[in-house]
Amino acid sequence: MGGITVRSRAILEDTAEVIETTVPRVQRMKTLTGRERERVIEKLEEASRNFRELAASVQNDNEELAEFFFKKAKELKNMSVDREIEREGKGKYLKLVDRILIYSRSARYDFQPEAMKELKGVYRRYLFGMTLFFVLSGLYLNRFIAITALILAIPIILSMLALQRRGHLGLLLAYSAIPIPLITGAMAIQYSLAALRDPAKIQEIASAIHKSTTFVHGYLLVLAILGATEIYLLVSAMIGLYKHRHAFL
């Protein structure tokens, strides 16, 4: 493995070195305020540290991506002089610094298969959790929940597609979509458990859907199990997405 990754490892180390040698340039710059210089230096030091740590643990060879990071680091270094910032604009420079930091944080998912494996596990939990939400919405005898599920269908599908591509928009959509399914799962559990303790309610449901009370007991148990499973998967996915938030660009 060391033989096929040595080129990527060397390029990542060179990238870290280029970023490190950019710091003295930033310290001499006059176009940035003192606070801006401090923030830029903090970001560059973290980015350099991230690339150097990645170089030491790289497993997947991706020379093309490593070269891209190196070119961006060189671009940043060349731009880290007052005359270039005056010509290109401070905003563009600060955005490039932010991009370098983001690249350094997300790169391990391209060079370390174990990190990507963990991320895919989180994605599957989100996918299965949302699938259960739609199933639950169809089984739960509440028109408002069904309409809400239809409204959320498009953003949830978009979030799934964007998460698969490691897009930052997918992360934002996922976090905005998760709360309502969690509430739905909790409502399903509460409704089921309350109904199971009330024979009159079971008889009422049986009459409404024209089924036996035995069927209703099973229906309510399935509803509670689906709700609990959905909540577990989505809470787990939410925690996992936060843990792996730097994977998304």
Side-chain angles (χ1 to χ4, degrees):
M1 185 177 292
I4 66 170
T5 61
V6 65
R7 181 60 180 153
S8 290
R9 184 177 295 117
I11 296 171
L12 291 169
E13 287 175 348
D14 289 343
T15 301
E17 184 176 351
V18 169
I19 297 173
E20 285 175 356
T21 58
T22 303
V23 172
R25 290 192 175 201
V26 176
Q27 292 170 334
R28 295 192 296 268
M29 289 165 59
K30 305 298 182 184
T31 49
L32 299 180
T33 65
R35 180 56 183 162
E36 286 172 336
R37 279 198 302 273
E38 289 177 9
R39 293 290 297 137
V40 168
I41 290 171
E42 287 175 5
K43 291 175 181 179
L44 294 183
E45 287 177 344
E46 181 187 340
S48 175
R49 186 166 60 250
N50 290 341
F51 279 123
R52 199 168 291 284
E53 290 175 356
L54 179 61
S57 59
V58 62
Q59 294 174 308
N60 279 349
D61 188 42
N62 195 333
E63 187 175 333
E64 183 179 354
L65 183 59
E67 287 283 5
F68 170 79
F69 293 147
F70 179 74
K71 289 176 182 177
K72 284 295 179 181
K74 291 287 289 184
E75 179 184 342
L76 177 67
K77 183 174 181 179
N78 292 335
M79 196 175 174
S80 295
V81 290
D82 289 323
R83 66 176 180 275
E84 286 297 318
I85 293 182
E86 290 171 355
R87 184 167 66 89
E88 298 289 342
K90 185 191 294 188
K92 182 178 179 180
Y93 176 75
L94 295 177
K95 285 181 180 178
L96 182 56
V97 172
D98 288 337
R99 294 307 293 177
I100 291 291
L101 178 58
I102 290 170
Y103 292 148
S104 75
R105 288 171 170 175
S106 67
R108 74 185 187 96
Y109 295 91
D110 298 290
F111 291 92
Q112 296 176 348
E114 191 60 35
M116 182 56 73
K117 182 179 178 181
E118 290 180 13
L119 182 60
K120 287 181 178 178
V122 172
Y123 173 76
R124 283 193 293 270
R125 290 195 292 275
Y126 177 75
L127 176 63
F128 293 147
M130 283 303 183
T131 301
L132 285 182
F133 163 63
F134 289 117
V135 172
L136 198 60
S137 300
L139 292 177
Y140 194 23
L141 302 177
N142 187 307
R143 185 176 299 177
F144 173 76
I145 295 296
I147 293 173
T148 302
L150 287 175
I151 294 172
L152 286 177
I154 292 177
I156 288 174
I157 292 171
L158 290 175
S159 71
M160 290 176 179
L161 295 174
L163 285 175
Q164 202 168 26
R165 295 193 301 267
R166 287 171 55 195
H168 192 257
L169 177 61
L171 186 65
L172 297 178
L173 286 173
Y175 270 104
S176 63
I178 284 175
I180 290 179
L182 289 179
I183 293 171
T184 301
M187 288 173 59
I189 294 172
Q190 183 182 29
Y191 171 80
S192 300
L193 296 181
L196 284 169
R197 292 193 296 265
D198 186 352
K201 184 65 176 177
I202 291 177
Q203 186 61 53
E204 179 186 334
I205 296 172
S207 299
I209 63 176
H210 307 293
K211 298 290 183 179
S212 67
T213 55
T214 302
F215 177 88
V216 172
H217 272 97
Y219 158 77
L220 291 172
L221 284 173
V222 169
L223 208 60
I225 292 170
L226 287 177
T229 306
E230 182 225 58
I231 290 174
Y232 166 76
L233 289 172
L234 290 181
V235 169
S236 177
M238 188 165 56
I239 295 171
L241 287 172
Y242 179 78
K243 177 184 176 183
H244 295 281
R245 64 193 182 280
H246 295 312
F248 301 96
L249 297 170

